[in-house]
Amino acid sequence: MGGILRSADLVVSRSGINTVSELMALGCVALLIPLQVGKLREQEENARFFKKVGLGEYVLQGDVTSKLLFDQITTMIKNHTKYIQNRKRALKYVTLDAVENIITVINNTYEGRRDRRTA
């Protein structure tokens, strides 16, 4: 999926945290349409943050019309360079080596338990 996202000039997507994290890690420009479910409106918060980072825009689901989508996508394509310039900024918020960090924590925990057993 990463290869497909990376090759896209513009992604139109929901804004769950996994999606937003992946878009940021890949430096994808996106128009997000958050689901408006949940008491905390997490997807809306994720979309706001994504916009603040500068990789894209968002439109609330209740406001979406075909004209609004067309206009927003057209504007974003015209201003594509503006978003691309924020790719490095977005990486500040993403841990690219998360798997290695998790493995290190697991190994250190395991080694600590093993050391206590042999002591």
Side-chain angles (χ1 to χ4, degrees):
M1 189 67 180
I4 293 169
L5 289 173
R6 190 175 288 137
S7 67
D9 291 325
L10 177 68
V11 175
V12 178
S13 177
R14 295 297 191 178
S15 54
I17 193 62
N18 291 331
T19 300
V20 169
S21 297
E22 187 167 5
L23 292 170
M24 289 175 62
L26 296 171
C28 295
V29 176
L31 173 59
L32 301 176
I33 305 170
L35 280 173
Q36 295 184 299
V37 296
K39 293 178 183 177
L40 301 177
R41 300 177 79 99
E42 302 88 356
Q43 287 206 8
E44 191 174 326
E45 289 298 316
N46 298 340
R48 275 196 201 111
F49 180 73
F50 190 81
K51 180 178 179 170
K52 183 179 177 181
V53 169
L55 277 177
E57 305 293 334
Y58 72 94
V59 177
L60 296 177
Q61 182 173 312
D63 297 338
V64 173
T65 64
S66 56
K67 180 175 178 2
L68 178 64
L69 276 180
F70 179 81
D71 291 345
Q72 188 66 53
I73 290 169
T74 302
T75 300
M76 289 180 73
I77 289 171
K78 286 179 184 175
N79 297 308
H80 196 259
T81 305
K82 172 184 101 171
Y83 300 106
I84 296 298
Q85 292 172 345
N86 292 312
R87 283 180 168 169
K88 286 185 182 176
R89 183 175 172 206
L91 288 175
K92 293 178 187 177
Y93 300 99
V94 180
T95 305
L96 296 177
D97 61 347
V99 171
E100 288 82 9
N101 291 344
I102 292 168
I103 290 169
T104 299
V105 168
I106 291 169
N107 285 337
N108 289 344
T109 302
Y110 174 76
E111 291 298 324
R113 286 186 177 185
R114 192 171 73 180
D115 291 345
R116 285 194 303 253
R117 288 182 191 150
T118 59

